[in-house]
Amino acid sequence: MAGFDPPGRLVTLTDVAREAGVGESTVSRVLRNHGSYSKRAGERVAEAVARLGYVPNRLAGSLAGGGAGTGSGLVGVVIPSLANIVFPDLLRGLTAALDGTGTQSVVGVSEYDPDREEALVAALLSWRPEALLLTGLEHSPGTVSLARAAGVRVVEMIDTDGEGIDRVVGFSNRAAGEASARHLLARGYRRIGYIGLDPGSDRRGGKRLAAFESVLAEAGLSLVGREVREGRSSAAMGRAGFEALLARHPDLDAVYFANDDMALGGWFACLAAGLAVPERIALFGFNGLDFTEAMPQPLSTIRTPRLAIGRAAAGCLTGDGPARIDLGFDLIEGATA
């Protein structure tokens, strides 16, 4: 894909040598762990590599004999999961936009682990991709250092609530949480519970929850109860969480779910227990996945622009477009709230 516009200069082996105060040949020997060098030289090179965010250029080795300036034709992408359809949707939008450009995406899955994300970023950058796409705005310091030192366009996707490394494409998760709370309050619900994942690992879900609770507080209310689960979100997890939450708080009149998968599980729990939705209890989800419209009662939820985010992220790879693109979201009234 021609015309990529990197935000900064790539950190080179020469930079590492200068920072460490040793020769380039010494740096090369240390990084390859081959040949002789002193223990102190090895330590100084390792420290310089960490400070500068340098990663070795594997492409140079794989293209032995290739001409200088040969592009990799790769775009590195790190997503947190393939189990949640949100991220395959994102990739579909991205790859559709890249189709025909001669550029291929190379995808790594972090499983919501910041350390794994950092290792994936280092591995992808070692192949000198022409751009790097990350999910969300919260990363380990090492990931941020690597991304800033890469000398390529960096695009962070799905969240606009915070500072970006380079380019940001998505929507406001905080605004989505606020809109969800206002929707439930406007319809008279006051005894509301929450079911989701640990906000420490699900950072975007944590932002939505904090905003949701802020709107409740403005109305003089708070969550009656919450059920926080570990692992991958699923309908089974949502059903189990709903049953546990309702056992502790049988007078709930609405439940806000971190995502549609869990909300579907809550709907199954209501069906099994004979609880009328929304007359006895309301359910509200997040993401607007395709199945929500096919439910006998279409789910009340927030629809996020996943395909559009992928396409817009691809568009950010060239030119001098805006540093931040907020594509918004749609509140789907549905029939469960």
Side-chain angles (χ1 to χ4, degrees):
M1 190 172 189
F4 278 23
D5 182 22
R9 188 179 68 81
L10 177 69
V11 176
T12 66
L13 185 142
T14 301
D15 297 324
V16 174
R18 185 181 301 113
E19 180 76 9
V22 299
E24 292 182 30
S25 59
T26 299
V27 174
S28 179
R29 288 195 296 272
V30 172
L31 295 179
R32 290 185 292 113
N33 193 27
H34 179 75
S36 61
Y37 55 86
S38 69
K39 179 181 178 181
R40 179 55 184 153
E43 292 172 347
R44 291 167 69 175
V45 169
E47 292 167 359
V49 165
R51 281 196 300 271
L52 297 177
Y54 173 78
V55 290
N57 184 354
R58 290 184 182 176
L59 184 64
S62 69
L63 296 178
T70 301
S72 68
L74 304 176
V75 172
V77 186
V78 181
I79 58 173
S81 173
L82 283 172
N84 189 327
I85 192 62
V86 168
F87 303 109
D89 278 351
L90 191 76
L91 293 177
R92 282 200 298 129
L94 172 67
T95 54
L98 292 178
D99 190 33
T101 66
T103 302
Q104 298 292 327
S105 58
V106 181
V107 181
V109 182
S110 70
E111 300 295 351
Y112 291 95
D113 182 341
D115 293 334
R116 181 175 173 83
E117 180 187 54
E118 182 176 335
L120 286 168
V121 167
L124 288 170
L125 290 178
S126 71
W127 290 101
R128 294 300 186 261
E130 300 188 42
L132 177 66
L133 276 60
L134 305 175
T135 307
L137 297 173
E138 283 73 38
H139 315 284
S140 71
T143 294
V144 173
S145 177
L146 288 167
R148 285 180 171 161
V152 299
R153 169 66 69 230
V154 178
V155 183
E156 291 163 288
M157 306 175 289
I158 293 193
D159 194 6
T160 61
D161 299 314
E163 293 300 318
I165 296 169
D166 180 18
R167 296 291 193 268
V168 174
V169 179
F171 58 91
S172 170
N173 281 271
R174 290 177 182 142
E178 292 170 352
S180 304
R182 293 194 178 104
H183 180 80
L184 292 176
L185 292 176
R187 280 147 185 77
Y189 301 108
R190 293 296 181 269
R191 297 191 58 76
I192 304 173
Y194 172 77
I195 298 174
L197 302 176
D198 177 11
S201 58
D202 182 8
R203 298 290 187 87
R204 292 175 296 283
K207 291 178 181 180
R208 294 193 298 274
L209 176 59
F212 188 96
E213 291 188 285
S214 178
V215 171
L216 292 187
E218 291 173 2
L221 300 171
S222 60
L223 287 174
V224 173
R226 69 181 71 198
E227 181 72 15
V228 175
R229 295 263 158 165
E230 298 290 338
R232 294 177 178 176
S233 64
S234 64
M237 179 184 285
R239 177 171 179 173
F242 181 90
E243 291 169 346
L245 183 63
L246 205 64
R248 295 197 306 273
H249 306 284
D251 57 345
L252 289 175
D253 61 15
V255 176
Y256 175 48
F257 292 84
N259 58 49
D260 292 344
D261 294 340
M262 288 187 169
L264 177 64
W267 187 81
F268 284 145
C270 290
L271 190 65
L275 300 176
V277 178
E279 293 81 8
R280 165 59 184 85
I281 190 164
L283 311 176
F284 197 92
F286 176 78
N287 270 323
L289 302 182
D290 290 346
F291 72 77
T292 62
E293 297 180 3
M295 292 169 60
Q297 288 177 283
L299 184 66
S300 302
T301 186
I302 294 284
R303 179 184 295 138
T304 57
R306 302 174 298 279
L307 290 172
I309 290 173
R311 290 192 295 266
C316 286
L317 303 184
T318 60
D320 299 313
R324 184 174 297 264
I325 300 175
D326 190 334
L327 296 172
F329 53 81
D330 295 314
L331 191 148
I332 308 302
E333 292 192 4
T336 61

